[in-house]
Amino acid sequence: MTRRRVPKEVRERQMLDAAVATFGRLGYRAASMDGIAERAGVSKPLLYLYLNSKEELFTACIRREAAALAAAVTGAVDAGESPERQLWGGLLGFFTHTADHPDGWAVLYRQARTTGRPFAAEVDVLREGLVEYVAGLFAAAARDAGCDAALVGREVTALAHALVGAAESLADWAGGAPPASGERPEPKDTAATLMDFAWPGLEALLARARTPGTT
Amino acid sequence: MTRRRVPKEVRERQMLDAAVATFGRLGYRAASMDGIAERAGVSKPLLYLYLNSKEELFTACIRREAAALAAAVTGAVDAGESPERQLWGGLLGFFTHTADHPDGWAVLYRQARTTGRPFAAEVDVLREGLVEYVAGLFAAAARDAGCDAALVGREVTALAHALVGAAESLADWAGGAPPASGERPEPKDTAATLMDFAWPGLEALLARARTPGTT
Amino acid sequence: MTRRRVPKEVRERQMLDAAVATFGRLGYRAASMDGIAERAGVSKPLLYLYLNSKEELFTACIRREAAALAAAVTGAVDAGESPERQLWGGLLGFFTHTADHPDGWAVLYRQARTTGRPFAAEVDVLREGLVEYVAGLFAAAARDAGCDAALVGREVTALAHALVGAAESLADWAGGAPPASGERPEPKDTAATLMDFAWPGLEALLARARTPGTT
Amino acid sequence: MTRRRVPKEVRERQMLDAAVATFGRLGYRAASMDGIAERAGVSKPLLYLYLNSKEELFTACIRREAAALAAAVTGAVDAGESPERQLWGGLLGFFTHTADHPDGWAVLYRQARTTGRPFAAEVDVLREGLVEYVAGLFAAAARDAGCDAALVGREVTALAHALVGAAESLADWAGGAPPASGERPEPKDTAATLMDFAWPGLEALLARARTPGTT
DNA sequence: CATGAATGAGAATTCATTCAT
DNA sequence: TATGAATGAATTCTCATTCAT
């Protein structure tokens, strides 16, 4: 159609955008290369020229979105602050980004994880990074509270897993309800809900750790 | 091959079992009617005779598994006990059932939600039911603690959502780690983790509600 | 279209016939599964159901035609006769069969040999068989003529190769000239031409072998 | 990359060389213009600028290789010598050239003949020329032997066909056996094999022609 | 002169679905 | 009741060919 010459990077971004939107809504199998090409406004061969195959295209989507999400979380944290403030910042960054990029989030959380090993593994890398980061915050909070970090180590990791899972779930829920269901919750509110939900559990754990005799 | 005359209901169950296993592992699109028929040990036309189409078959799977899960949760609760005990019972029932029926859980949580509106809606019904049930428990706890139920209503619902989301996430995580990762966590431990994580948050909320002046 | 139920073997033969005709005329790459299915009067999926892939289909064609040609040659020979008579019979069988099955011959000689290793290897088996058979006849003729078989062994094999090559070439030539060029030569004449061409060379060789001092 | 200004003719030769190598190894269909351009070290549009289309490119390859082969045969013959010496010279030239230019030979003999009418026709011109030349030699030999040329005319043509076919077949066989099979036969040996094989047949024919009463 | 960027057309293969028995 | 046989409709991917610079 439009034989417009467009710089490589722009074209590639157009294609990835279209792919993320399509994969995010339909899933890997149901998405067709035809559909993606059309949405990107390019011909199918061009799509293949840039991204080689459906599999590689999907992988490229996952990587791009994972990197963007990680950057959003990292960038929202001020490393000099208290663990609690850092967690708050990270959560806010997380919910803001996922709310702003629902298709990207769907690709990562909904689709990539249900489409078989190689893809799920890509996401696991991201996830492990987040879990470790949160666990680090919890450990710092433990130190600040005068607990033996080694003592609470295992439980801290479990809690970090639970928190990340809860965050994913909330992000999914917040983004999932489409226009119909009235207003979408603000990222700030979602973050507050989760903080209120989770932080007391952590403090209770630390309290127990300071009072020997309880497990 | 086995020309055994089998009663209608048994046949149907065989087919649904095969379908749940196949859909749960491969997803809706990647699963083939051929594969399901073969796994069920019946011919494809018979599969169509009983279940009409791939779409209806998938829907039937979702409904059956959703009902089974709801029954498992409901059945594990003793309506006469305290909210905390009731929640504990429900969580235990939930984690036990999902651990025992990983394919069914995968169909509900992983596949149905990623395969487009009509199917996701089926699951949402189940989910809403659970959320409301949990919210009811929280409201009861609020009353028991002498709080104004109306006052905490909104927050209680948000918390219920978070808890259900966390439970789903934990169930998925507990079932997801295959043999490699050593032993799978016991449902009881998973439930305990979540209780420890979540209950303090609720109590903190109630405490705030009793002490006017804080949001 | 015609949803006629046809016995398996008949269907398979229809498909192979169509495939041989198509591959023989267009070559492996230029032939399309669509075209073959249409010529066979079946749908493409059925073609795949029976023959799995283009590659397997081509292999099946080669094998069937190779077996048929080998049978035609073998069946035209009376094992009790003199080498010269046996060779005559074999050639006659060969030229008769190739003239009667030009597409099969084209598949074997023209297409299979130019379509890469795995296919060429199939034909080589046939070809080696024929060469060895002819070499055996030559050796028998040598013994009858009182020559030391071991002495002429190597030359006999080279001659056999040349003869088979000449036969292939003549068959191709005889079958290649289409209607335009007037009448096609009779297999008997082709066989006679080759006998006249080749037998004196063999006899000359044997004569040299009986008169030591020549190489 | 190499922005060297290269004279037109050299460029064209580079392209034809690449095309011959590619077509000879892969065949017309399996060869891609992309591959040829890359092997030639030029861009695809340039390839099209010089040679217009895949079809024309293939035709140009055939013509160039056919001319080269004809020249090699013609140039190896001393027109003043006896028919037998001339035939020997021609065969030697033929086998030497085909051994030195395996890709060109593959294009002519293997690929062009299996890729449909228009291309096969190009080769037929070459082939007919060779056959007529050989038939002329045979006729001269007949005259030298005191035979009535008209009498043996038809048989002489058939023999010429057989000889050319045998030569082609031997060239193909000699060039086909790759490194594995040890040393490749020398052109001189191949020519000798064919001379030994063919000349006695011709002499026998002439002998019969001088002795009326035999057919 | 030379090319990077782009596309229309087609090919192999798979799948949900349905007759005819 | 139950099925072996059959197909229409996609889907992924490739290739010859051509603008725009």
Side-chain angles (χ1 to χ4, degrees):
Chain A
M1 306 276 171
T2 337
R3 272 225 176 193
R4 277 256 312 288
R5 300 277 237 114
V6 171
K8 247 182 157 179
E9 282 165 15
V10 176
R11 266 280 190 268
E12 182 153 344
R13 212 184 47 219
Q14 288 175 350
M15 293 181 192
L16 284 177
D17 287 346
V20 166
T22 308
F23 283 134
R25 289 162 206 203
L26 302 182
Y28 180 71
R29 299 291 298 233
S32 85
M33 293 299 268
D34 258 308
I36 293 170
E38 188 175 13
R39 178 185 275 259
V42 300
S43 70
K44 229 184 328 170
L46 199 60
L47 189 56
Y48 276 90
L49 192 62
Y50 276 73
L51 288 142
N52 303 318
S53 74
K54 196 182 186 184
E55 230 174 286
E56 280 190 39
L57 174 55
F58 193 44
T59 304
C61 290
I62 295 173
R63 293 211 174 126
R64 190 182 77 165
E65 296 306 317
L69 177 54
V73 172
T74 306
V77 171
D78 180 341
E81 298 196 308
S82 75
E84 188 170 2
R85 296 293 306 162
Q86 285 192 46
L87 182 60
W88 167 257
L91 288 178
L92 194 53
F94 180 82
F95 288 120
T96 304
H97 183 85
T98 53
D100 287 351
H101 303 83
D103 291 331
W105 175 244
V107 164
L108 289 178
Y109 182 68
R110 283 217 171 100
Q111 309 302 353
R113 301 180 79 190
T114 63
T115 309
R117 290 280 71 228
F119 303 120
E122 295 283 338
V123 179
D124 283 347
V125 172
L126 165 69
R127 195 195 155 88
E128 282 310 309
L130 293 178
V131 167
E132 267 170 41
Y133 178 66
V134 171
L137 287 185
F138 285 179
R143 270 192 304 278
D144 291 357
C147 299
D148 181 351
L151 221 159
V152 295
R154 291 218 39 155
E155 294 216 49
V156 150
T157 301
L159 270 191
H161 259 293
L163 181 107
V164 169
E168 291 170 340
S169 176
L170 279 177
D172 204 48
W173 174 61
S181 147
E183 62 236 68
R184 220 166 271 242
E186 284 293 310
K188 212 166 51 177
D189 298 337
T190 313
T193 298
L194 185 53
M195 266 319 257
D196 288 351
F197 181 60
W199 200 257
L202 175 65
E203 289 186 323
L205 168 64
L206 300 184
R208 280 202 305 279
R210 258 193 320 257
T211 317
T214 331
T215 302
Chain B
M1 298 305 156
T2 339
R3 283 273 180 136
R4 283 259 306 287
R5 291 297 239 96
V6 173
K8 249 186 153 177
E9 280 152 26
V10 176
R11 266 288 150 83
E12 183 155 342
R13 210 183 51 216
Q14 289 174 349
M15 295 181 193
L16 283 175
D17 287 346
V20 166
T22 308
F23 284 134
R25 287 161 208 203
L26 302 181
Y28 179 69
R29 296 291 297 227
S32 84
M33 294 297 269
D34 259 305
I36 293 170
E38 186 176 11
R39 180 185 272 259
V42 301
S43 72
K44 237 184 324 172
L46 198 59
L47 187 57
Y48 275 88
L49 191 62
Y50 276 73
L51 288 141
N52 304 316
S53 75
K54 197 184 185 183
E55 234 176 281
E56 282 190 38
L57 173 55
F58 192 45
T59 305
C61 290
I62 296 172
R63 291 206 177 129
R64 190 181 78 165
E65 294 306 315
L69 177 55
V73 172
T74 307
V77 170
D78 180 340
E81 298 197 308
S82 74
E84 187 171 2
R85 296 294 305 163
Q86 285 191 47
L87 182 60
W88 169 258
L91 287 178
L92 194 54
F94 180 82
F95 289 121
T96 304
H97 183 84
T98 53
D100 287 351
H101 302 82
D103 290 331
W105 175 243
V107 164
L108 289 179
Y109 182 68
R110 284 216 170 102
Q111 309 302 354
R113 302 180 78 191
T114 64
T115 311
R117 289 278 75 228
F119 304 119
E122 295 283 339
V123 179
D124 283 346
V125 172
L126 163 69
R127 195 193 155 87
E128 283 310 311
L130 293 179
V131 168
E132 268 170 40
Y133 177 67
V134 171
L137 287 185
F138 284 179
R143 271 193 305 277
D144 291 358
C147 299
D148 180 350
L151 219 160
V152 295
R154 287 216 42 149
E155 293 215 51
V156 149
T157 302
L159 270 192
H161 260 294
L163 182 107
V164 169
E168 291 170 341
S169 176
L170 279 178
D172 204 48
W173 177 60
S181 146
E183 61 234 71
R184 226 165 265 242
E186 285 292 311
K188 210 166 52 178
D189 297 336
T190 312
T193 298
L194 185 53
M195 269 313 261
D196 288 351
F197 181 60
W199 200 254
L202 176 66
E203 289 187 323
L205 169 66
L206 300 185
R208 280 201 306 279
R210 258 191 323 253
T211 317
T214 332
T215 301
Chain C
M1 306 277 172
T2 337
R3 273 222 175 196
R4 277 255 314 286
R5 300 280 235 110
V6 170
K8 247 182 157 178
E9 283 164 15
V10 176
R11 265 282 189 269
E12 183 154 343
R13 212 183 48 218
Q14 289 174 349
M15 293 181 192
L16 284 176
D17 287 346
V20 166
T22 308
F23 283 134
R25 288 163 207 204
L26 302 182
Y28 179 70
R29 299 290 298 234
S32 85
M33 294 298 269
D34 258 307
I36 294 170
E38 186 175 12
R39 179 185 275 259
V42 300
S43 69
K44 230 182 331 169
L46 199 59
L47 190 56
Y48 275 88
L49 192 62
Y50 276 74
L51 287 141
N52 304 318
S53 75
K54 196 181 186 185
E55 231 175 286
E56 280 191 39
L57 174 55
F58 192 45
T59 305
C61 289
I62 294 172
R63 293 213 175 124
R64 190 183 78 164
E65 295 306 317
L69 176 55
V73 171
T74 307
V77 171
D78 180 341
E81 296 195 310
S82 75
E84 186 171 1
R85 294 294 305 165
Q86 285 191 47
L87 181 60
W88 168 257
L91 287 178
L92 194 54
F94 180 83
F95 288 119
T96 304
H97 183 85
T98 54
D100 287 350
H101 302 85
D103 290 329
W105 175 243
V107 164
L108 289 178
Y109 181 68
R110 283 214 170 104
Q111 309 300 355
R113 301 180 78 189
T114 64
T115 310
R117 290 279 69 232
F119 304 120
E122 296 283 340
V123 179
D124 282 347
V125 172
L126 165 69
R127 196 193 153 86
E128 283 309 310
L130 292 178
V131 168
E132 267 170 41
Y133 177 66
V134 171
L137 287 184
F138 285 179
R143 271 194 302 278
D144 291 357
C147 299
D148 180 352
L151 221 159
V152 295
R154 290 217 39 150
E155 294 216 48
V156 149
T157 300
L159 270 191
H161 259 294
L163 182 106
V164 168
E168 290 170 341
S169 176
L170 279 177
D172 204 48
W173 175 61
S181 145
E183 63 236 68
R184 221 166 269 244
E186 284 293 311
K188 211 167 53 179
D189 297 336
T190 312
T193 297
L194 185 54
M195 267 317 259
D196 288 351
F197 180 59
W199 200 255
L202 176 66
E203 288 187 323
L205 168 66
L206 301 185
R208 281 202 304 280
R210 259 194 317 257
T211 316
T214 332
T215 301
Chain D
M1 299 301 159
T2 339
R3 283 271 181 134
R4 282 261 306 286
R5 292 296 239 97
V6 174
K8 249 186 150 177
E9 278 153 25
V10 176
R11 265 287 150 82
E12 182 155 343
R13 208 183 52 216
Q14 288 173 349
M15 293 181 195
L16 283 175
D17 286 346
V20 166
T22 308
F23 284 135
R25 289 163 206 202
L26 302 181
Y28 179 70
R29 297 293 295 229
S32 83
M33 293 298 270
D34 259 307
I36 292 169
E38 186 176 12
R39 179 185 274 258
V42 300
S43 72
K44 237 186 318 174
L46 199 59
L47 187 57
Y48 275 87
L49 190 63
Y50 276 73
L51 287 141
N52 304 316
S53 75
K54 197 183 187 185
E55 234 176 282
E56 282 188 38
L57 174 55
F58 192 45
T59 305
C61 290
I62 295 172
R63 289 206 179 129
R64 189 182 80 164
E65 295 305 315
L69 176 55
V73 171
T74 307
V77 170
D78 180 341
E81 296 196 309
S82 74
E84 185 170 1
R85 294 295 305 165
Q86 285 192 45
L87 181 59
W88 168 256
L91 288 178
L92 194 53
F94 180 83
F95 288 120
T96 303
H97 183 85
T98 54
D100 287 350
H101 302 83
D103 291 330
W105 174 243
V107 164
L108 289 178
Y109 181 68
R110 284 218 171 101
Q111 308 302 353
R113 302 180 78 191
T114 64
T115 310
R117 288 282 72 229
F119 304 118
E122 295 284 337
V123 179
D124 283 346
V125 172
L126 165 69
R127 196 193 154 89
E128 282 311 309
L130 293 178
V131 167
E132 265 169 43
Y133 178 67
V134 171
L137 287 184
F138 285 178
R143 269 194 305 279
D144 290 357
C147 300
D148 180 352
L151 218 160
V152 295
R154 288 217 40 152
E155 293 217 50
V156 150
T157 301
L159 270 191
H161 259 295
L163 181 106
V164 168
E168 290 171 341
S169 175
L170 278 177
D172 205 49
W173 177 60
S181 147
E183 62 237 69
R184 224 165 267 245
E186 285 293 311
K188 211 165 54 178
D189 297 336
T190 313
T193 298
L194 185 53
M195 269 313 262
D196 287 353
F197 180 59
W199 200 256
L202 174 67
E203 289 188 324
L205 168 65
L206 299 184
R208 280 203 303 280
R210 257 193 323 254
T211 318
T214 332
T215 299

